[in-house]
Amino acid sequence: NEICDNESTSFKAVASGGSGSYIYTWTPATGLDDATIANPTFTPNEIDELSKSFQFICEVNDGYNSISDTVNVIVNKTPKAEFTTNDVCLGEETIFNATIVDGATYTWNFGDGNSETTSTNTTSHKYLTADKFNVTLTVTSVHGCVSEMFSKEVDVFSLPVAEFTADDICFGEETIFNATTVDGIKEYRWNFGDGSQEVVTTIPTATHKYAAANQDSGYEVTLTVLSDNNCESTPTTKTV
């Protein structure tokens, strides 16, 4: 008989002959619900080993004579499911790292309608929308013992949008750039298109004075913003 350490199994002693009045004694009694009946139930404690053998002796006495027999049970360890992960920006891969269980398989449900079973403890998944997702994992051991389900929430953050305006000016004047104000933006990265060093601000406004006029093609100014969740926007470019 073979069970997992989160399962139970029942024994059944069958006696015949003699006086017909039988007394049953099971040893050891540890883990048995009643060691004095013909069909006790054995519920093991959690084991530390991957597998452990248990032997029980059943003695039957009819008041005059006794006989005995043995029952052997192999108890296999039930794995524990646990994993770590990281919150990501939309478009990035979310990495999942489960606790290693030798020979196990890992069944993942990513909370967006997708799931997979892997033979390695690490996997990744790319979400198509920004949201919170409840990810679950169950682990099945090489002996077929299935863990309790472990769950953890993953945040997929939306990407910020970079937008700005700038007025045309006369040469020698400062150009004022105004980014669209959106909550949750911590950095505005400005490239003014004239070879000058990129300017990073924490406010949505920046100024720049060009060293030369460029009436024919103008200057291509690019803005990239960074959110509080460290998600970077797609760069937005305009000609000024």
Side-chain angles (χ1 to χ4, degrees):
N1 198 3
E2 194 166 342
I3 62 171
C4 303
D5 64 4
N6 62 349
E7 299 174 336
S8 299
T9 187
S10 295
F11 304 146
K12 185 177 182 180
V14 179
S16 61
S19 68
S21 179
Y22 307 120
I23 297 173
Y24 298 89
T25 305
W26 293 84
T27 55
T30 303
L32 300 179
D33 61 342
D34 190 339
T36 63
I37 59 176
N39 56 340
T41 297
F42 171 53
T43 303
N45 293 321
E46 181 181 340
I47 62 173
D48 296 323
E49 306 91 330
L50 290 178
S51 291
K52 186 175 182 179
S53 295
F54 293 82
Q55 185 177 80
F56 295 89
I57 299 173
C58 178
E59 182 180 40
V60 183
N61 190 304
D62 69 348
Y64 302 96
N65 298 291
S66 64
I67 58 173
S68 64
D69 201 357
T70 60
V71 175
N72 294 297
V73 181
I74 297 174
V75 177
N76 298 309
K77 185 174 182 62
T78 301
K80 283 186 170 61
E82 192 170 5
F83 66 87
T84 59
T85 188
N86 56 306
D87 295 333
V88 296
C89 302
L90 183 63
E92 297 176 344
E93 293 269 355
T94 305
I95 308 298
F96 301 93
N97 290 292
T99 302
I100 296 174
V101 178
D102 290 339
T105 56
Y106 305 80
T107 300
W108 303 88
N109 187 315
F110 298 113
D112 63 348
N114 292 290
S115 61
E116 70 173 2
T117 298
T118 63
S119 58
T120 58
N121 68 303
T122 300
T123 191
S124 63
H125 184 65
K126 184 180 284 188
Y127 291 94
L128 301 180
T129 58
D131 207 340
K132 293 179 183 289
F133 298 93
N134 188 53
V135 180
T136 64
L137 170 67
T138 55
V139 180
T140 303
S141 75
V142 68
H143 298 292
C145 299
V146 181
S147 72
E148 292 184 0
M149 183 180 290
F150 179 84
S151 65
K152 183 174 286 191
E153 191 173 76
V154 174
D155 267 326
V156 179
F157 303 119
S158 59
L159 300 181
V161 176
E163 291 288 347
F164 69 93
T165 59
D167 294 330
D168 292 333
I169 56 150
C170 298
F171 176 65
E173 297 176 345
E174 283 198 330
T175 305
I176 299 175
F177 299 92
N178 290 295
T180 302
T181 303
V182 180
D183 290 338
I185 303 299
K186 69 177 183 179
E187 280 185 6
Y188 300 82
R189 299 172 181 173
W190 301 92
N191 185 319
F192 297 115
D194 60 352
S196 61
Q197 186 175 359
E198 180 182 75
V199 172
V200 179
T201 66
T202 57
I203 59 174
T205 301
T207 60
H208 185 67
K209 182 181 287 189
Y210 288 95
N214 193 353
Q215 295 177 338
D216 295 334
S217 59
Y219 292 97
E220 288 193 346
V221 179
T222 300
L223 171 65
T224 306
V225 298
L226 188 70
S227 72
D228 290 338
N229 297 316
N230 291 318
C231 297
E232 188 175 276
S233 72
T234 299
T236 294
T237 299
K238 291 183 179 182
T239 301
V240 298

